[in-house]
Amino acid sequence: MLSFAGQVAIVTGSGRGIGRATALALGKRGAKVLVNDYGGGFDTLTPGTNEVAQSVVDEIVAAGGEAVADGTAVGTGESARVIVESAMKSFGRVDILVNNAGGSRPFHNVDEDADENLEGVIRSNLIGSLMLMRRVWPIMRDQNYGRIVNTSSNTVLGQQGMLAYVAAKGGIIGISGSAAIEGGPLGILVNTIFPQAYTRSVDDTAEPGTMDWFKSHTPELVAEGVAFLCSRECNVSGELFRIGGGRFSRYGIYGNKGVADAELTAEFVAERFDQSRDMADAEIVPDAAYDMARFNSALASDWQSELKSDWRK
């Protein structure tokens, strides 16, 4: 069994669902866990209670582990400070951050729902994760060690009626990639997940009766994959993983060679549009620097070849 002995984890949104399962998975392997959950609704607006987080703490303690409850709602720099300070006061360090907290609204078309409701979704999903990374960063930097797992969603590939949620989850991929580049030399690894599990979010968003088959996709099957990404044994960073239903796989953004002409015109593209979309020679694009070098290498000029060789130095 993987061991997290001597390590401290913050797991947000861990009162229920995937977050709860993750807190339990880390706790049973020896991690001291700050169980964060504001105890409210998945809509990010319903008032909550600290009892939700405390119930998970009680489970961890009953199993012989150590944990404390925190009922702070994520979404601001101040709330992130409170959460991290609570972990430091209780345990003296932070080795792991799992940004699991988030929420969504019932389906609305692009121009529907109130601005403040959409802003709440973005705060809970994106701003909360960003601010918590910022608050644990100096602690992990001083330790020369850290593991951060950020929760995105496959809805970023396109999902009707969830505009703010999709925007926030797309942002998660971006901030994770940037933090991974900066964190590498510091011993801080940052990865992102697309989770899939039967939770209350499914009940809130799916049509009744359409997801009965989905109930075998338990939160625990996601949490076990997250636990590995939080471990010392994980040695990759800046990657995206799809986890759920017993499956663990890497996802990525791919780019092909495309077509190029120094004097590109709309007509040139029209004639070669199918060729430009052909993914036969596509490869994964891990970051913006690689993308820039790879893209520019297809352009015929002396300075481009120099850029390709020097860009990542």
Side-chain angles (χ1 to χ4, degrees):
M1 179 181 288
L2 298 178
S3 174
F4 294 91
Q7 294 192 310
V8 175
I10 295 174
V11 185
T12 66
S14 52
R16 289 167 285 210
I18 295 170
R20 170 184 169 273
T22 300
L24 292 172
L26 295 174
K28 76 178 183 180
R29 292 175 169 89
K32 300 175 183 179
V33 185
L34 182 130
V35 177
N36 163 264
D37 199 302
Y38 95 111
F42 189 66
D43 61 5
T44 75
L45 300 175
T46 306
T49 169
N50 196 57
E51 294 176 2
V52 174
Q54 186 60 50
S55 67
V56 180
V57 168
D58 293 343
E59 289 186 77
I60 294 172
V61 172
E66 294 185 57
V68 295
D70 181 274
T72 307
V74 303
T76 68
E78 176 60 18
S79 65
R81 182 190 64 77
V82 170
I83 293 166
V84 174
E85 286 187 358
S86 177
M88 291 296 290
K89 181 178 179 180
S90 298
F91 301 125
R93 60 185 295 123
V94 177
D95 302 279
I96 297 162
L97 170 64
V98 180
N99 276 316
N100 170 77
S104 187
R105 300 276 298 156
F107 288 169
H108 290 86
N109 291 327
V110 171
D111 60 339
E112 296 175 344
D113 208 356
D115 290 350
E116 57 267 27
N117 292 341
L118 303 182
E119 291 166 0
V121 170
I122 292 172
R123 280 196 301 273
S124 67
N125 288 280
L126 177 59
I127 303 301
S129 297
L130 172 62
M131 292 301 179
L132 277 157
M133 280 207 304
R134 282 167 46 80
R135 296 299 180 265
V136 302
W137 201 262
I139 299 169
M140 293 180 173
R141 180 181 60 217
D142 290 347
Q143 297 169 172
N144 196 36
Y145 182 89
R147 296 290 186 270
I148 299 174
V149 178
N150 290 326
T151 304
S152 183
S153 167
N154 70 335
T155 59
V156 303
L157 303 174
Q159 175 69 54
Q160 182 181 0
M162 303 181 71
L163 194 65
Y165 183 78
V166 170
K169 293 304 188 183
I172 289 291
I173 297 174
I175 65 172
S176 298
S178 293
I181 294 170
E182 186 174 340
L186 307 176
I188 305 172
L189 307 186
V190 186
N191 290 293
T192 309
I193 63 168
F194 283 175
Q196 178 170 299
Y198 187 85
T199 67
R200 62 177 176 151
S201 66
V202 175
D203 287 329
D204 288 347
T205 59
E207 294 183 9
T210 62
M211 299 295 279
D212 289 345
W213 66 272
F214 200 41
K215 293 182 179 180
S216 64
H217 293 199
T218 65
E220 288 74 18
L221 291 174
V222 174
E224 291 296 315
V226 174
F228 168 74
L229 294 176
C230 293
S231 71
R232 299 177 181 91
E233 285 73 11
C234 178
N235 60 4
V236 302
S237 190
E239 297 190 2
L240 171 63
F241 298 93
R242 183 86 158 89
I243 314 175
R247 180 180 176 220
F248 186 103
S249 64
R250 184 184 179 189
Y251 274 34
I253 295 175
Y254 283 76
N256 68 1
K257 184 176 180 181
V259 297
D261 188 277
E263 298 179 359
L264 187 82
T265 64
E267 291 74 20
F268 175 87
V269 174
E271 291 174 2
R272 298 164 177 80
F273 189 54
D274 288 344
Q275 180 184 348
S276 74
R277 299 176 65 245
D278 184 355
M279 300 297 285
D281 63 351
E283 66 172 337
I284 199 164
V285 182
D287 56 46
Y290 187 89
D291 174 64
M292 181 72 78
R294 185 180 188 277
F295 186 83
N296 288 333
S297 69
L299 304 179
S301 65
D302 293 339
W303 69 269
Q304 299 293 357
S305 60
E306 180 180 349
L307 172 64
K308 181 180 179 183
S309 61
D310 293 346
W311 184 263
R312 295 174 67 92
K313 290 183 180 179

